[in-house]
């Protein structure tokens, strides 16, 4: 194996395997700007963004990251022109269909979070199929946030808990942080240690509001379609230089 191939498969030698994030979340931003810079329609940027995500998933798997969560479509993204919304939802459906066999073979466990019932029926079916087909896989846990909003997620958790209290199955005093987290879409997945946002915007845009209470933020100017293994490596180097204090000294 040549040195270059080794870098592609193995964790770069200067990263500390014991201090890798267990869970990485990504706000995949900048597809539109990437396309505009090339004089191309925005949808071409979204196409390229899919390739970036596929490569990132493989890289995380190769480097021993246990969970990857990607923000694909926010509850606010419905506000985009309907042609773009339609294009994105159709793209998700097509890619999911095309990639499912590969994910099964690669032992990926795919999960979707968000208000899935508001998605087109055909996309819901693909999502259901993919989640069921990979549910027992033991490899990287890959979560795609689709029609996801952090506030909406918190509200639906409150509603579910309120129903349990109303029915007498739960006492208000029994509502703890752990119980609350178990009612979020992300129940069972550890909070992200690292959130990467591409394209320079310094905001959460309604992503993982509860879960990011103590996650580390990393913002890069790189546009999502250009985010590659080297970019992930840089984010991990930066992360490993952080001191995570969790409020202590
Ligand atoms: C992220 O890229 C993709 C989605 C939100 C679905 P954008 O489409 O937001 O790209 P910019 O921010 O306009 O460049
Ligand atoms: C966040 O990006 C949502 C996704 C990446 C899916 P946006 O492009 O929608 O966020 P804003 O509008 O810049 O906050
Ligand atoms: Mg954007």
């Amino acid at each position: 194996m040549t040195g270059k191939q080794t870098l592609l498969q193995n964790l770069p030698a200067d990263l500390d395997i014991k201090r890798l994030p267990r869970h990485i979340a990504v706000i995949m931003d900048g597809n539109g700007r990437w396309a505009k810079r090339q004089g191309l329609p925005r949808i071409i940027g979204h196409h390229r963004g899919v390739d970036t995500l596929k490569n990132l998933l493989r890289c995380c798997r190769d480097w021993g990251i246990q969970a990857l969560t990607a923000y694909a479509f926010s509850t606010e993204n419905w506000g985009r022109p309907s042609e773009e919304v339609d294009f994105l939802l159709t793209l998700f459906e097509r890619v999911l269909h095309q990639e499912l066999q590969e994910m099964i073979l690669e032992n990926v466990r795919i999960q979707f979070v968000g208000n899935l019932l508001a998605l087109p029926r055909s996309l819901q079916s693909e999502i259901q199929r993919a989640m069921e087909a990979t549910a027992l896989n033991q490899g990287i846990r890959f979560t795609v946030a689709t029609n996801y909003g952090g506030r909406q997620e918190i509200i639906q958790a409150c509603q579910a808990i309120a129903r349990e209290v109303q029915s007498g199955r739960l006492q208000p005093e029994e509502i703890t942080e752990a119980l609350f987290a178990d009612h979020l879409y992300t129940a069972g997945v550890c909070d992200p240690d690292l959130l990467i946002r591409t394209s320079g915007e310094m905001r959460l845009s309604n992503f993982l509001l509860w879960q990011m209470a103590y996650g580390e933020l990393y913002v890069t100017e790189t546009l999502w379609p250009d985010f590659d293994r080297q970019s992930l490596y840089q984010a991990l180097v930066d992360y490993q230089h952080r001191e995570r204090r969790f409020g202590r000294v």
Side-chain angles (χ1 to χ4, degrees), residues 28-31 33 42 80 197 201:
M28 312 186 284
D29 198 17
N31 292 348
R33 277 164 280 180
R42 290 175 60 83
R80 296 188 178 201
R197 182 167 186 150
E201 242 68 72

Side-chain angles (χ1 to χ4, degrees), residues 100-170:
L100 182 57
Q101 246 1 73
E102 186 96 9
M103 286 192 289
I104 294 171
L105 288 174
E106 294 190 0
N107 205 17
V108 174
R109 178 169 169 193
I110 191 169
Q111 182 187 11
F112 286 79
V113 292
N115 180 8
L116 305 179
L117 294 175
L119 295 171
R121 292 298 281 272
S122 50
L123 176 55
Q124 285 187 51
S125 314
E126 285 296 338
I127 286 176
Q128 199 57 35
R129 206 163 75 94
M131 293 208 288
E132 280 169 16
T134 64
L136 298 177
N137 285 358
Q138 298 292 318
I140 187 166
R141 199 155 176 170
F142 177 40
T143 304
V144 186
T146 313
N147 194 20
Y148 174 90
R151 288 185 169 180
Q152 189 262 330
E153 178 185 38
I154 289 169
I155 295 288
Q156 68 76 36
C158 290
Q159 289 171 341
I161 292 170
R163 280 193 290 271
E164 288 175 41
V165 172
Q166 194 177 38
S167 72
R169 277 178 288 143
L170 187 73

Side-chain angles (χ1 to χ4, degrees), residues 27-29 71-74 77 80 197 201 203 205:
I27 299 179
M28 312 186 284
D29 198 17
Y71 203 4
F73 193 87
S74 74
N77 286 150
R80 296 188 178 201
R197 182 167 186 150
E201 242 68 72
R203 55 178 171 261
S205 301

Side-chain angles (χ1 to χ4, degrees), residues 47-57 224-228:
H47 249 296
R48 284 292 292 261
V50 170
D51 294 334
T52 300
L53 182 59
K54 286 198 283 192
N55 291 332
L56 178 68
L57 177 63
W224 178 250
D226 292 328
F227 191 88
D228 59 10

